[in-house]
Amino acid sequence: MTSREASGQRSETVRRANLSTILQELHLHGPLSRSELVSRTGLTRSAIRGLIGELASGGLVTEERSASIGAPGRPSPLSRPRADRHVVLALEIAIDSLAVALVGLGGEVLELQRVDRARGHLDADRLVDDLARLARPLLERQAQRAAVVGIGLSMVGVVRASDGMIRVAPNLGWRDVPLADVVARKLRLDVPVTVANDGDLGALAEHRRGAAIGVDDVIYVAGEVGVGGGVIVAGRRLEGAGGYAGEIGHIRVNPSGSECRCGARGCWETEVGERALLRRAGQRPTGGRAAVDGVFRAAAGGSPVALDALTATGEWLGTGLASIVNVFNPSLIVLGSLFGRMHPYVSAQVEQALSSGAMDAPGEMVRVVPAALGEDAPLLGAAELAFEPLLIDPAGWLAPRPALVRVAGA
């Protein structure tokens, strides 16, 4: 290789990296002026101008004149991601619902639909067929305008990161299901398919779009039947060797407690999951979401039984969080789904348990807040994951232009 060839390759590597840096800034932070991009990226104004021109010609961003603020000189042009031209399809398989969404570049939710599903064991083909039926009208409405650049799926279960294999999903009765392959076969969109655990994706969404924006060390904890979580360390998702990190529901908190679905005894989810809450409230443990809603209605009405059930569950919630604080030293814990709803009722118990169970040094650094994105956090995290190939290397999407939406069965 000649020195000229090596120099050319280095220049192309730098160009691709700079395109990625700019597009990620716009995707995460919304419209920015050239002056702001210079400040955020360290690139020169002339470099920004050229790179924005490339992204604009590829339909990834638009550039418009910003409003004058009365300062001397010409206003710096404003760049924004084009949510209408490049989209991802986000999918979610939850305990008792299915959801689909089309999300545009920049995180704009163009359409979202969620439907209830009966709890129980269903095979992957049937569930993905249901998701495809939900997704098809959304895709058809975008068919003449947008390019689908990826599919992301949030899944309740243990997911192998390398290929989207569901190693185990107890609430569906699944073991070793190649879900990414099933989705690719059913939807027939020639784009990457990524599958990840719902707790990991909830953490990603809250970090980028929700309660944890600007916080680099975050734990996301969510619970329904089971308890899951996601970990952000130094601004990056902690995946583990196989993608299995974050199974915090199986921390052992009560050696004399109930037997867990995993086979162990006294796991955290046996003390804080919805079945534990319902049992304490005198309800049928398998009553599901309707029974849980009833407990919260009763608590809002001042029912001592419901309030005591929440208080006891909150104490166990704080006990587990104290161990997590000691291990990970987060600055923020975000409570999603059931725990986000519980937070107004149990914040005092959680703080007391953290005070007594966490070491002073990490304990005094952490705050506990409810999720900002509610039940949609994992779905929106799936969208963020699906955008990553485009954000990492937008140059690969500039030429040739991605195919427009192609609807399965069309």
Side-chain angles (χ1 to χ4, degrees):
M1 181 184 295
T2 67
S3 60
R4 180 174 297 177
E5 289 172 334
S7 176
Q9 289 186 1
R10 286 195 297 271
S11 297
E12 174 61 13
T13 299
V14 170
R15 167 184 165 269
R16 297 177 86 101
N18 288 341
L19 285 168
S20 173
T21 297
I22 290 173
L23 191 60
Q24 289 188 54
E25 288 290 335
L26 294 172
H27 175 71
L28 293 177
H29 304 294
L32 295 170
S33 69
R34 287 186 190 173
S35 298
E36 290 171 316
L37 285 168
V38 168
S39 175
R40 286 177 173 273
T41 66
L43 297 170
T44 65
R45 185 177 290 269
S46 61
I48 294 288
R49 181 172 60 249
L51 294 165
I52 288 293
E54 286 193 65
L55 293 171
S57 67
L60 292 167
V61 306
T62 59
E63 195 170 38
E64 59 199 45
R65 188 171 302 281
S66 59
S68 174
I69 57 174
R74 180 182 300 175
S76 179
L78 196 67
S79 300
R80 68 174 69 241
R82 289 203 61 172
D84 61 329
R85 289 289 298 276
H86 293 82
V87 303
V88 296
L89 177 63
L91 310 171
E92 182 183 4
I93 298 175
I95 296 295
D96 47 21
S97 69
L98 299 175
V100 300
L102 278 181
V103 180
L105 188 63
E108 181 179 343
V109 179
L110 303 174
E111 294 193 63
L112 188 155
Q113 185 173 3
R114 182 179 296 276
V115 297
D116 293 340
R117 77 168 189 89
R119 292 184 179 183
H121 295 183
L122 291 175
D123 63 43
D125 279 357
R126 288 179 61 188
L127 277 182
V128 176
D129 281 341
D130 289 343
L131 285 171
R133 279 191 289 271
L134 285 175
R136 190 170 291 116
L138 278 65
L139 293 170
E140 289 173 345
R141 284 192 285 272
Q142 295 292 324
Q144 301 305 314
R145 301 188 297 274
V148 174
V149 300
I151 299 171
L153 193 154
S154 169
M155 175 68 199
V156 287
V158 178
V159 184
R160 187 164 67 195
S162 61
D163 59 1
M165 172 74 75
I166 309 305
R167 296 306 311 276
V168 62
N171 291 295
L172 296 174
W174 291 5
R175 185 174 292 275
D176 293 331
V177 174
L179 187 57
D181 292 342
V182 175
V183 170
R185 172 167 51 84
K186 295 283 187 178
L187 290 175
R188 289 185 289 168
L189 292 171
D190 188 21
V191 296
V193 178
T194 51
V195 181
N197 170 264
D198 59 332
D200 292 334
L201 294 179
L204 178 63
E206 289 290 342
H207 180 238
R208 291 188 177 178
R209 308 284 176 190
I213 291 175
V215 182
D216 283 342
D217 295 279
V218 181
I219 305 292
Y220 173 84
V221 185
E224 296 294 347
V225 175
V227 175
V231 183
I232 304 289
V233 177
R236 299 173 63 91
R237 284 193 307 131
L238 180 65
E239 296 184 72
Y244 309 135
E247 288 298 324
I248 55 179
H250 299 286
I251 297 171
R252 196 180 190 200
V253 298
N254 185 2
S256 60
S258 304
E259 184 175 351
C260 181
R261 296 169 302 150
C262 72
R265 184 170 293 277
C267 290
W268 193 25
E269 71 175 43
T270 67
E271 300 292 350
V272 298
E274 69 172 36
R275 292 179 181 178
L277 174 64
L278 291 174
R279 185 179 66 250
R280 294 184 181 113
Q283 302 295 315
R284 184 166 52 91
T286 56
R289 185 168 60 180
V292 171
D293 290 345
V295 172
F296 280 103
R297 284 195 299 270
S303 165
V305 173
L307 291 170
D308 287 347
L310 287 166
T311 295
T313 305
E315 290 169 351
W316 282 110
L317 179 62
T319 297
L321 292 179
S323 295
I324 291 171
V325 167
N326 289 339
V327 172
F328 290 106
N329 183 204
S331 52
L332 188 68
I333 294 173
V334 179
L335 301 179
S337 59
L338 174 64
F339 303 145
R341 298 178 69 185
M342 286 173 53
H343 183 261
Y345 297 96
V346 305
S347 58
Q349 287 74 33
V350 168
E351 293 297 333
Q352 177 58 40
L354 285 173
S355 178
S356 60
M359 295 186 298
D360 288 346
E364 65 191 18
M365 300 178 68
V366 69
R367 294 184 298 119
V368 181
V369 300
L373 302 176
E375 68 174 347
D376 292 328
L379 180 67
L380 300 179
E384 291 297 322
L385 195 63
F387 268 122
E388 287 191 352
L390 170 62
L391 296 173
I392 290 170
D393 187 23
W397 296 85
L398 296 179
R401 184 172 176 268
L404 292 177
V405 169
R406 186 157 50 86
V407 180

